[in-house]
Structure formats: structure tokens, C-alpha cells
Amino acid sequence: MTTFRRRFAEWRPPSLKRATLWVSQWFSKTAAFESPRVAAMASPHMQQPSFLLASLKADSMNKPFAQRCQDLVKVIEDFPAKELHTIFPWLVESIFGSLDGVLAGWNLRSLQGRVSPVEYSVAMEFLDPGGGPMMKLVYKLQAEDYKFDFPVSYLPGPVKASIQERVLPDSPLYHNKVQLPAPGGLGLHLALNPFEYYMFFFALSLITQKPLPGALHIRTSDCAYFILVDRYLSWFLPTEGSVLPPLSSSPGGPSPSPAPRTPAMPFASYGLHHTSLLKRHVSHQTSVNADPASHEIWRSETLLQVFVEMWLHHYSLEMYQKMQSPHAKLEVLHYRLSVCSALHSPAQPSLQALHAHQESFMPSEEHVLAVRLLLKHLHAFSNSLRPEQASPSAHSHAASPLEEFKRAAVPRFVQQKLYLFLQHCFGHWPLDASFRAVLEMWLSYLQPWRYAPEKQALSSDSQARGVSERWAPFVQENLLIYTKLFLGFLSRALRTDLVSPKNALMVFRVAKVFAQPNLAEMIQRGEQLFLEPELVIPHRQHRLFTAPTFTGSFLSSWPPAVTDASFKVKSHVYSLEGQDCKYTPMFGPEVRALVLRLAQLITQAKQTAKSLSDQYGESTAGRPFLSWLGFYPTDTNGSYPGNDLDEMGQDSVRKTDEYLEKALEYLCQVFRLSEAQLAQLTLALGTAQDENGKKQLPDCVVGEDGLILTPLGRYQIINGLRRFDIEYQGDSELQPIRSYEIASLVRLLFRLSSAINHRFAGQMAALCSRADFLGSFCRYHLLEPGLSGRRLLSPVGRGRAANRARGPRLSLRFLGSYRTLLTLLLAFFVASLFCVGPLLCALLLVLGYVLYAVAMTLLTERGKLHQL
């Protein structure tokens, strides 16, 4: 205590930086000198109190965003790594938010330049991968080999479940990093270097952080997060040149790659058939003959693996169990028994946790868009190899690590997890237009030639050239992503409303991609290679990975490329689906039958869209001039819209017809369908139009009580392909009062007309029975016109309507309509402008109507004579 008072009296702090340094150094020296027993008993996870961290936390609550970033820049430049490592976890969490989603951080997914230009520019400059202060901090800590703990519980579900099952995930990203839980400290966790820790938080913030309520209408491509993803990909996975070395802020030179560590706990790797634990231990050690220059790309490898693991490693419990070989399961069982007995605790229920995760996990559209951005850049990154480097003969030891990484990035890191991710999305995504994001992500991966340098140099009409033969190996090595996912899309398309323009567009997009010249032939050749019979079924290739070190990288232990095309295709299928998979050929009879069914639905949807278009045109043309005032009745028969065409109008109908027409044409090209086949199947389903050439009833049969829907009819109604024309068939005087009618006036007129009909029923019947012109005139006004000419649905309905036939009667309900009253008021107003009195105006109106009624009576009688 005396020592502290003497030092405090002599000290005069010139600045916050020097004060914080002095206090922290004094605490460390005092703790080591005066309390050695307490320091020895401290937990390794408990850090000494950091006054720098406390000061920064206080500033984060009081200072504006730009000022806080300026202070952080000064702190990163002035303070040594020994002080900065205590604030690094807090700083990463304050930027990207907490892993549990409670803290939002800087809200990078909602930050836009046009909305908040100052905050946007400051954040982008601070997090810039080329020379931003945050990356300088990462490299400064990387040079000192600091490690940071990351809880396993926040990893994706399959990764967390496998680690908790004591099975090492099939990714070198986790090798030699898993740490057993310490008493009184963290649970099962990973020991990550600063670059890995930073990238883990950056990638997971896309999933853990939920968008703000006001950010629903923000354009995703303008957000700071997605622009940062693009910048990080362009910097660490360059399409031109090489990866630039990190800018070191210390005089010691660039930050080294992470050094190898001995495994903290033994793990089995699922999906890999190791013969013994000794071999697995040797495989994790540093390769002696590895390329010494391979450490230059360890950041690129880490970035790609983190994005793939955090964004794509989500699949079902069944797939998780299938990926574990029987030998690996046996090793896991023995090891779990030994670990559980050592820890005196039962095994964690990770399989149940994985099942719960899978039930709740559903990627957002932003998640899918980020994956698509990753895939597009990876295609450009892989295609940046020169032709002589991309050829199999160029695969030699003379190739640089970056060239090796470009060649192996997609097949070795992305392919398997992307296939599982797409399968999950195809099977669980809602049947609505939001599936377009997943569809475009899939189609982007299927077309790597779109991101080749020579493709970008060609004109827009280059699609007619077709897909080059140089892409045949890619198509064969990704056969399931083409064929099985196409089958999954077919099953979705058969359950959607193809009359909707957005759904029709998705079918058009898929058909257009697969109809590219030479692509269908490549897929068919790939299927023939897989279906070739052979005596020995090829086993999966076993991959042994090493951690990135000074003398080796993830690439150093990969086996040489296999040149046999048939073996490549079989290895691809068996590695993704297992050796007991049942493959359904894309050009086989089962898929062809589904395509024919889709073609039938496309034809039906085109006819339905045309029918709705005609109805829309008739309803628009038939409305009077006063309909814009809102007094026109809205669909008195109570018909309902089948889809969004009624809201979008004629332009939407035209687009739908164009999409479906071109989609049907492309499907006929891919699967070689003839016009005769389509016509025959269309007639077989009863899609011929009825007598008026427009309306089509759902498929049904006549029963005792009317029409009964068949299963096909229910399907047609549910998908909006057909519908009944619902109309009121009861007493027109007893219809419910409409919104365009005056309720009290309608009731009063009904009582008046009922009294007149009851008083003069006999006279009206005698007048209507006359055969002269007066009888025709009375029948036109007193008989209900709907029953004789109405098209009823069934003989039962027609019989009941005949029994309900009513005699002549007077109806005054039309006088209770707002439209009628407004028309009369306008007529009297116009007449007053010409000095015509109300009485004379009323007489003129009556005279005009009588002339109109006489003309209509004559036309009606002439029409009846023509029918006879």
C-alpha cells in the first residue's frame, strides 16, 4: 500500500493513453509480486481488469459513432498488442452484434450510403480489408499468436452436434482447435486465432442478427454488410494477380500464418475411413514436404471455409447420420464411453439438438443472396486460371499455392455443403414467389461459363453458341446438382399456381437455362457414365487435411486429380448420396412423365390466363362512365379472383402468356417433346374449351344433389387452373343489400312492389299471356329474364330452377341504387341549364325510356323467332 501511495503521488498523467498503460502495468507487476498465490489460483479464462476496455465501453454510450471510430483508430495505432487483445472480443461483438442476437452491433445489414452517408463511409473505411483499422488490429494480434475462445454452442447445428458427439467435422477449419470444457470456465469451445475469430463473427452475423422492423424495404445490394462481403471476397480471393500480404503495423514484418498445435482432444472425422487412431494423429501433423509458400494463402482458405461452414453447413438429421461411416460410428462409440467415464457425465443429447435446430432453421432471403454472391465470385475466381493452368496436365508441383487453390476451391470446399443446403431449401421453402432467390442461387452455380473471362468479352447474343465442351467435366462432377435438384424443382412447379406471373417466370428461367445448346447432351453423357456397369463399385476418396502452417496448407495433403471420367461421376454421386443411393435419371421415363404433366399444366394455365384476360377486358369495357365514382356494382354474382392477375391487369396476363409459351418451347427442346404428344395429353385431361370458347369447369361428375368434384377437379381449383362461375340463382328481390344501395329505400321499395304485385297479380298475368305487342312489352318488364337463358351447372340444378319459376311481377329495387339516383340528379341538373323545368324533364325521361323499351322488345322478339 505504501508503494502505491508513493508512486501515485509522483505520477502526473499527461494523457489517457499513458495513464491507462501505467495503471495496467502497475496492476500486473503488483499482482505478480505481492499476490503470487492469488495469481496462480486465477482461472485461465479470467483476465486482469482492463481500464482501456472500461474507457471504450463508457465512450460507446456517450460519444457519437464517428467520434468513437476515430478514438478506436488512435487506440489501435498507439497501444501494443498486449493491451489490445483484451478489447478485441468486445470490439468484434460491438461491431457485428452478439452471437445470441440480443446486441445488434452496428446494424451493417441496415446501414446504407444514401440513408446515412457519414456513418456508412466511416464504417466501410474502418472495416476495409485492404488497410482498414480493424484488419490492422487483427494482423497486430495475429503476429503475437493470441487465441480467443469461441463457444461451440453457437456453431451451425450439424457442426455443433458432431463436435458434441466427439466427431470432428469434415473440415480442416476445426482441426486442432476444439478444447474440452474447463472447470468453472467455458464449455466446449474452439481456440481461434484473431483472423478466424473475426471472420466467424462476421459470417455468423448474417444468421444470428435479425433485420430491424424498419429495414424490410431496404435494397439488399446497397447494404454495408453485402458490400463488405463483396470487398472481402475480391481482396482475399482475387481474380487478377495474387493475394496481397497483410499490412503489418509492427516493425516485425507481416503477420505469420497460424502455427500448428497438438490436438487438444482426439476426434473421429465423419465420412472418412481411417484405419487407426495413429494414422489420424499423423494426418494432423505438419507435412515435411509441403510448399513453404503455401502460408501466403492461408487467409484465403480460412475466409472461404468460414463462409462455407457458417452459411452452408445446415442439413437434416438423416443426412447427418448417413454421412457417418460404420467404422467412424464404432470409433465414436468407444471414444464417447471413455470420455463420459472420465468426465463423470452422460453424453449430451446433440442429435436431439440437431433435430430441433433443423426444424427451426430456415435461411432468409438475405442469407440466400449472400450465398449467391459467394458462388458467383467463386466461379470468377476459379475461372481466372489461364487455360494452360486449368488443364489436368498442368496439375504439378510447379503450380503456385494460389493456382492450386483456384482449381480446388469449388469441388473440395463448396460442392458437398452447397448440395445439401440446396436440398434443404428445395424441400422446406414455402410455395410462393420468394423461392426466386433460391432458384437464382441454384442457376448461378449451374452456369460457371457466365463468369468466365471469355464469356464477359462476348456479346449478349452469344447464348446461341451453346455451352463449350470445356465445361463437360464441371457438369459431370456436379451431376446431382443438375439432375436431382431439377427433379425437386419439378415437384415444386407441379404444386404452384402457374397462372401467377412470378411463378411462370421461375419455370421460364429454369427451362431457359437447361435449354442452352449442348447442356442437355452433357448431362445425358454424365448420366451414361454413372450408369455404366462395372465389377467393383468405387469407394469414396479419402481426404486427409492438415492445418495451415508455415510449411503446409489445407491443399498439401489432397490426393492427385482422378482422370477417369466414369470414376469421377460415380465418386461424386456416392460421396453425396451414399453407395446405396437410388438414382433417378433426368432423361428417364419417370422424369419425362413429370415433364409431360408440367407441360399439361402450362397449357391449362395459358388457357386460364387467357380466360381471365377476356373477363377483365369485358368487365372493363362494360362499365359505364359513372363507374369511376364508385357507384358501379362490383360483381353482383359473387365471383372470386383466382390469382393476382385480377389485380395486375392486362400487362401481367401478357407476361404470363409469354413466360409460359417460351417455357413450354424450351421444355420441348430439352426433352424432345412433339406437338402431337402435347395435344393428345391435353385432350386426355379434358382441357378442351366449352361452347363459348372461354369458360372451363373443374372436372366433376353429376350426383343426386348436383355436381361432385373429382380429385382432379379439387387439384384444378386449389391451383387456380379452373373454377366454377358462382352466380346468384335465387329470388333477385331477396338478394342481400349491396354497398351501392340505400338500405332503407330498398326495404321501402320492396314493400311497395310487393303490395302492387299482390293487388294486381291477375291483371299482370293476363297481360303477359297476350300474343300481341302489348304482351311482349309486358313480358319484357314483368318477367325475370335470367331463368330461361341462364346456364345452370347440372340437370338437377335446372330442374330445381324450373320448379322455382315465378309469375310476372313488378320490381322497383333499381330506384334504391346510388347510381340511379345520381343519374337522375345529373339529368335534372343538365336540364336546368337549358331552362327545362323538372316536370318537363321527367316527361322527357319517361318518353325516352318508353322508346328504348319498345326497341328492346322488338329486338327480343326477333331473337326468339330466330331461335325457333
Side-chain angles (χ1 to χ4, degrees):
M1 200 64 184
T2 305
T3 304
F4 173 78
R5 291 175 179 174
R6 183 173 62 254
R7 291 182 180 179
F8 185 79
E10 297 173 355
W11 172 69
R12 296 294 183 269
S15 65
L16 174 64
K17 171 202 168 186
R18 295 178 60 185
T20 307
L21 279 174
W22 184 89
V23 174
S24 60
Q25 292 173 1
W26 183 87
F27 260 92
S28 60
K29 291 180 181 178
T30 305
F33 180 75
E34 297 181 0
S35 304
R37 191 173 68 87
V38 175
M41 293 177 60
S43 171
H45 299 283
M46 297 178 60
Q47 303 291 337
Q48 296 293 337
S50 173
F51 290 92
L52 174 63
L53 178 59
S55 175
L56 292 176
K57 286 184 178 180
D59 291 343
S60 66
M61 302 295 294
N62 303 321
K63 293 185 178 181
F65 178 75
Q67 182 63 38
R68 298 201 310 266
C69 291
Q70 292 179 3
D71 295 343
L72 287 172
V73 172
K74 295 179 182 179
V75 168
I76 293 172
E77 291 178 352
D78 297 342
F79 281 78
K82 182 178 180 181
E83 296 295 327
L84 293 176
H85 90 279
T86 59
I87 71 168
F88 183 70
W90 167 83
L91 180 57
V92 171
E93 186 176 83
S94 65
I95 295 174
F96 301 118
S98 58
L99 295 173
D100 54 7
V102 176
L103 300 179
W106 288 4
N107 291 320
L108 296 176
R109 290 169 58 183
S110 305
L111 187 61
Q112 288 185 300
R114 60 183 178 86
V115 178
S116 305
V118 177
E119 290 81 358
Y120 175 84
S121 60
V122 170
M124 297 300 290
E125 183 179 356
F126 188 83
L127 302 176
D128 185 73
M134 194 64 192
M135 295 309 298
K136 289 182 180 179
L137 172 61
V138 169
Y139 296 143
K140 181 183 287 189
L141 298 176
Q142 190 79 33
E144 300 295 333
D145 198 24
Y146 283 105
K147 304 300 174 188
F148 299 92
D149 295 333
F150 189 92
V152 170
S153 58
Y154 291 110
L155 293 175
V159 180
K160 177 177 64 176
S162 61
I163 293 179
Q164 291 176 348
E165 290 285 333
R166 308 298 187 252
V167 181
L168 189 65
D170 188 12
S171 173
L173 186 65
Y174 306 104
H175 289 188
N176 304 329
K177 294 183 176 66
V178 181
Q179 307 292 320
L180 284 172
L186 287 177
L188 204 61
H189 61 280
L190 304 178
L192 305 177
N193 62 52
F195 186 81
E196 294 168 340
Y197 188 83
Y198 176 80
M199 286 302 168
F200 268 56
F201 267 84
F202 178 74
L204 277 176
S205 64
L206 179 65
I207 302 174
T208 58
Q209 298 299 316
K210 304 302 179 183
L212 298 178
L216 297 177
H217 303 288
I218 294 179
R219 188 177 177 182
T220 302
S221 58
D222 297 336
C223 297
Y225 183 86
F226 291 91
I227 296 178
L228 280 174
V229 170
D230 184 63
R231 289 188 182 181
Y232 284 1
L233 290 173
S234 302
W235 182 265
F236 294 109
L237 303 175
T239 57
E240 297 180 0
S242 59
V243 183
L244 297 177
L247 299 177
S248 176
S249 57
S250 61
S255 62
S257 60
R261 298 188 303 273
T262 57
M265 59 183 297
F267 273 80
S269 296
Y270 62 77
L272 304 181
H273 302 275
H274 298 299
T275 56
S276 67
L277 294 176
L278 177 61
K279 282 189 176 181
R280 182 167 64 251
H281 177 77
V282 172
S283 68
H284 289 304
Q285 304 308 311
T286 305
S287 176
V288 179
N289 300 323
D291 191 343
S294 62
H295 71 277
E296 297 177 0
I297 63 167
W298 71 267
R299 293 173 298 148
S300 303
E301 296 174 349
T302 301
L303 174 81
L304 177 58
Q305 290 190 89
V306 170
F307 282 176
V308 169
E309 288 295 315
M310 301 302 113
W311 292 348
L312 298 180
H313 207 155
H314 304 276
Y315 46 79
S316 63
L317 176 63
E318 293 77 15
M319 185 61 65
Y320 167 82
Q321 294 173 337
K322 185 172 69 174
M323 291 182 64
Q324 300 186 65
S325 64
H327 184 74
K329 289 180 180 179
L330 186 60
E331 288 188 354
V332 170
L333 179 61
H334 287 293
Y335 179 76
R336 289 188 68 195
L337 291 175
S338 61
V339 170
C340 294
S341 60
L343 297 177
H344 302 286
S345 63
Q348 304 181 33
S350 56
L351 291 181
Q352 289 81 355
L354 172 60
H355 184 71
H357 165 84
Q358 186 62 24
E359 290 296 328
S360 61
F361 175 78
M362 175 56 63
S364 62
E365 290 191 49
E366 293 178 335
H367 184 176
V368 173
L369 292 175
V371 174
R372 187 191 179 199
L373 180 62
L374 171 65
L375 297 178
K376 291 167 65 175
H377 187 86
L378 282 177
H379 279 322
F381 177 69
S382 301
N383 294 334
S384 62
L385 280 172
R386 295 187 297 272
E388 60 272 12
Q389 297 172 341
S391 61
S393 59
H395 186 75
S396 61
H397 295 286
S400 67
L402 182 60
E403 294 171 356
E404 292 282 349
F405 184 57
K406 287 182 178 181
R407 186 180 296 109
V410 173
R412 307 281 172 93
F413 286 105
V414 179
Q415 185 192 78
Q416 182 190 47
K417 293 181 176 63
L418 175 65
Y419 172 72
L420 300 174
F421 181 76
L422 284 171
Q423 267 197 323
H424 176 73
C425 292
F426 274 58
H428 295 80
W429 202 277
L431 289 172
D432 55 20
S434 64
F435 186 71
R436 174 78 186 278
V438 179
L439 187 76
E440 294 298 335
M441 173 184 64
W442 173 48
L443 296 181
S444 295
Y445 182 78
L446 296 185
Q447 304 176 85
W449 46 87
R450 292 184 56 193
Y451 312 100
E454 63 271 15
K455 174 65 179 180
Q456 298 171 359
L458 295 176
S459 58
S460 58
D461 59 348
S462 59
Q463 183 174 351
R465 296 172 174 235
V467 182
S468 173
E469 283 294 330
R470 63 165 287 203
W471 301 107
F474 178 86
V475 174
Q476 295 168 4
E477 294 171 9
N478 293 271
L479 184 63
L480 286 178
I481 303 181
Y482 284 91
T483 59
K484 187 167 183 179
L485 292 181
F486 178 81
L487 183 60
F489 174 76
L490 274 182
S491 65
R492 291 183 61 93
L494 293 173
R495 292 176 289 157
T496 55
D497 178 15
L498 298 183
V499 186
S500 171
K502 296 177 181 179
N503 294 335
L505 175 59
M506 288 191 284
V507 177
F508 163 74
R509 288 283 296 123
V510 174
K512 182 180 179 181
V513 168
F514 279 85
Q516 296 179 80
N518 203 30
L519 178 58
E521 289 76 8
M522 289 182 182
I523 298 175
Q524 200 163 8
R525 288 200 301 268
E527 290 188 330
Q528 291 172 356
L529 290 173
F530 173 73
L531 297 175
E532 282 183 359
E534 60 180 350
L535 298 178
V536 181
I537 298 178
H539 295 280
R540 302 182 190 180
Q541 289 296 104
H542 310 316
R543 300 189 302 241
L544 302 180
F545 299 91
T546 60
T549 63
F550 289 106
T551 58
S553 73
F554 300 138
L555 301 164
S556 60
S557 56
W558 283 349
V562 182
T563 57
D564 183 20
S566 177
F567 185 78
K568 278 185 177 181
V569 177
K570 294 177 186 294
S571 299
H572 157 70
V573 175
Y574 292 143
S575 63
L576 295 182
E577 290 291 331
Q579 296 183 5
D580 55 347
C581 69
K582 296 181 180 179
Y583 181 76
T584 303
M586 178 176 169
F587 296 94
E590 298 180 12
V591 179
R592 186 178 180 86
L594 293 177
V595 172
L596 288 174
R597 184 180 173 190
L598 177 62
Q600 297 160 10
L601 295 181
I602 290 176
T603 305
Q604 292 177 356
K606 288 177 58 181
Q607 294 175 357
T608 305
K610 185 178 183 303
S611 175
L612 292 175
S613 175
D614 294 340
Q615 293 177 10
Y616 179 84
E618 290 175 359
S619 61
T620 304
R623 291 184 181 182
F625 175 75
L626 297 177
S627 61
W628 64 274
L629 294 174
F631 298 106
Y632 184 73
T634 57
D635 197 5
T636 57
N637 289 328
S639 61
Y640 60 93
N643 45 52
D644 56 357
L645 286 176
D646 297 326
E647 300 178 358
M648 304 183 68
Q650 289 288 93
D651 185 61
S652 176
V653 175
R654 180 183 55 81
K655 289 182 179 180
T656 301
D657 188 68
E658 291 178 0
Y659 292 149
L660 295 178
E661 181 69 29
K662 297 299 292 184
L664 190 59
E665 177 184 342
Y666 288 140
L667 289 175
C668 291
Q669 293 177 10
V670 174
F671 294 93
R672 299 177 179 87
L673 305 178
S674 63
E675 294 292 338
Q677 288 177 308
L678 293 180
Q680 180 181 2
L681 291 170
T682 300
L683 292 175
L685 280 180
T687 59
Q689 298 179 344
D690 59 359
E691 64 275 4
N692 60 8
K694 297 176 183 178
K695 300 176 181 178
Q696 304 171 37
L697 295 179
D699 189 71
C700 51
V701 296
V702 179
E704 296 181 356
D705 297 327
L707 297 180
I708 301 176
L709 283 173
T710 64
L712 176 59
R714 295 189 188 95
Y715 174 82
Q716 292 168 342
I717 290 180
I718 291 173
N719 291 275
L721 301 177
R722 296 186 184 182
R723 65 179 182 179
F724 288 107
D725 291 329
I726 302 176
E727 58 182 7
Y728 183 78
Q729 297 181 1
D731 190 352
S732 58
E733 288 294 303
L734 300 179
Q735 292 187 63
I737 298 176
R738 309 292 183 177
S739 60
Y740 54 86
E741 294 177 325
I742 304 175
S744 58
L745 186 57
V746 168
R747 295 188 180 97
L748 179 62
L749 291 172
F750 176 73
R751 295 191 186 97
L752 178 61
S753 59
S754 298
I756 295 174
N757 293 330
H758 180 71
R759 176 69 178 81
F760 302 100
Q763 291 85 338
M764 288 189 293
L767 289 173
C768 292
S769 61
R770 297 179 58 166
D772 54 3
F773 176 77
L774 181 59
S776 300
F777 189 84
C778 292
R779 284 193 296 272
Y780 177 78
H781 289 88
L782 300 178
L783 289 180
E784 188 174 355
L787 292 178
S788 60
R790 183 175 297 168
R791 173 184 176 272
L792 298 178
L793 298 180
S794 67
V796 177
R798 287 193 290 267
R800 292 179 179 177
N803 295 331
R804 293 196 302 265
R806 301 174 183 88
R809 59 179 178 172
L810 178 66
S811 177
L812 302 176
R813 182 166 178 166
F814 70 97
L815 294 175
S817 171
Y818 286 110
R819 175 194 174 196
T820 303
L821 296 179
L822 182 60
T823 303
L824 293 175
L825 289 177
L826 287 177
F828 282 109
F829 175 75
V830 173
S832 65
L833 296 178
F834 294 95
C835 299
V836 178
L839 182 59
L840 181 58
C841 179
L843 292 175
L844 291 176
L845 290 176
V846 171
L847 179 61
Y849 177 77
V850 169
L851 294 176
Y852 169 79
V854 169
M856 292 301 298
T857 301
L858 294 175
L859 292 175
T860 304
E861 290 298 323
R862 183 175 299 179
K864 291 181 179 179
L865 292 176
H866 283 295
Q867 291 179 1
L868 295 176

